[in-house]
Amino acid sequence: MSAPLLNLPKFSVYYGPVQAIHGIALEVAEGEIVTVIGPNGAGKTTLLNAIMGLLPSQGGLTLGGDTIARPTVEAMVRRGVALVPEKRELFGEMSVGDNLLLGGFALWRRGQRDQAARMKEIFAIFPRLEERRAQMASTLSGGERQMLAIGRALMSRPKLLMLDEPSLGLAPLIVREVLNIVSALRKTGVSVLLVEQNARAALNVADRGYVLEMGEVAVQGPAQTLMHDQRVIDTYLGVG
Ligand code: ATP
């Protein structure tokens, strides 16, 4: 088997003296959708931010087989990692099209002057964004905003897309729509690391999952196995 796209052998993150992530091991294979589920405060956002280089971490990681001892945002973006943060962080007073163009800045920096072509590909994934191309981002619905945030991240042609709680604040039907699109991204060769509190929705689209509790991996395995794990059912899936 080839080396995983992303591999954390023993990853730790501290906030001052407080350890938020306790030497966890995690990997994402090429073309895989991996989810990290767990309760509030388990460290899910911390994990993504530290992988992206937004927070200092220990233990290092490998990306495409290359060792990165201390990830920085610049290095991670350059190597094809994109993060969609929980708050979406769109430019509300700018149009949908301009928000996408800003996401293509990394392409432009790499000398790829084909933002327009890339935008067409994004519109093929999210037809709704094309319809609303000239509309101000702040006037979009919650689901459309999430689609724009994902579309903007995809503009840089990432190999690994990291999503922080894309379902947050969305109605169940819209959650399904957004996650179906995430699932379809696999066909375009993008790997996904998906952080979710909505365990059922996340396990439905993921290949594998990790349950994070208090900064440690409590359970991990294929998504279908986790769906039938009694402890996961009792704690995260409930009845239904
Ligand atoms: P949620 O789903 O509520 O966002 P989470 O699983 O993403 O939760 P984190 O936000 O990563 O969890 O938080 C993990 C732990 O780190 C929590 O105990 C939190 O209080 C702590 N923490 C987060 N940010 C900071 C910070 N800037 N300074 C100190 N501690 C922090």
Side-chain angles (χ1 to χ4, degrees), residues 3-123:
L5 176 62
L6 174 72
N7 182 32
L8 314 180
K10 198 171 188 292
F11 201 70
S12 294
V13 183
Y14 291 82
Y15 289 109
V18 179
Q19 188 166 10
I21 301 287
H22 295 259
I24 68 167
L26 178 147
E27 61 179 59
V28 181
E30 200 116 4
E32 204 179 23
I33 300 180
V34 172
T35 188
V36 175
I37 56 178
N40 275 122
K44 304 182 299 298
T45 297
T46 299
L47 175 66
L48 291 194
N49 287 346
I51 293 172
M52 196 68 212
L54 291 162
L55 286 173
S57 58
Q58 291 178 15
L61 53 84
T62 68
L63 197 62
D66 295 338
T67 299
I68 302 173
R70 290 183 192 285
T72 61
V73 176
E74 221 236 321
M76 298 308 275
V77 170
R78 187 157 27 86
R79 287 163 184 271
V81 180
L83 170 67
V84 180
E86 189 176 302
K87 296 207 168 75
R88 282 56 148 174
E89 288 168 20
L90 298 169
F91 296 95
E93 300 310 306
M94 289 171 69
S95 69
V96 166
D98 285 345
N99 268 278
L100 288 175
L101 277 179
L102 280 172
F105 186 64
L107 275 186
W108 184 80
R109 288 253 323 252
R110 289 202 295 263
Q112 293 171 266
R113 309 286 149 121
D114 61 344
Q115 283 113 316
R118 183 58 178 156
M119 208 189 291
K120 270 208 187 114
E121 292 170 12
I122 303 295
F123 286 149

Side-chain angles (χ1 to χ4, degrees), residues 94-230:
M94 289 171 69
S95 69
V96 166
D98 285 345
N99 268 278
L100 288 175
L101 277 179
L102 280 172
F105 186 64
L107 275 186
W108 184 80
R109 288 253 323 252
R110 289 202 295 263
Q112 293 171 266
R113 309 286 149 121
D114 61 344
Q115 283 113 316
R118 183 58 178 156
M119 208 189 291
K120 270 208 187 114
E121 292 170 12
I122 303 295
F123 286 149
I125 303 172
F126 300 100
R128 197 97 63 87
L129 294 184
E130 183 161 29
E131 287 162 26
R132 295 173 190 274
R133 184 180 185 152
Q135 193 172 319
M136 209 80 98
S138 60
T139 64
L140 296 175
S141 73
E144 289 161 356
R145 249 182 255 193
Q146 185 55 264
M147 290 176 197
L148 178 55
I150 296 173
R152 187 178 60 178
L154 287 173
M155 278 295 291
S156 65
R157 297 187 198 279
K159 290 196 207 102
L160 176 67
L161 180 68
M162 302 199 293
L163 300 170
D164 194 355
E165 303 237 9
S167 80
L168 199 75
L170 302 184
L173 256 177
I174 313 293
V175 170
R176 206 172 313 153
E177 195 182 338
V178 169
L179 290 182
N180 281 344
I181 292 170
V182 169
S183 168
L185 288 179
R186 192 201 317 257
K187 288 188 218 104
T188 68
V190 182
S191 307
V192 178
L193 183 55
L194 168 67
V195 153
E196 261 302 335
Q197 266 197 64
N198 187 337
R200 186 183 303 279
L203 290 172
N204 261 322
V205 296
D207 300 302
R208 281 190 311 113
Y210 295 81
V211 178
L212 198 63
E213 288 175 358
M214 296 176 75
E216 300 195 41
V217 174
V219 195
Q220 62 168 297
Q224 287 308 314
T225 309
L226 291 183
M227 291 254 236
H228 297 101
D229 180 296
Q230 200 54 47

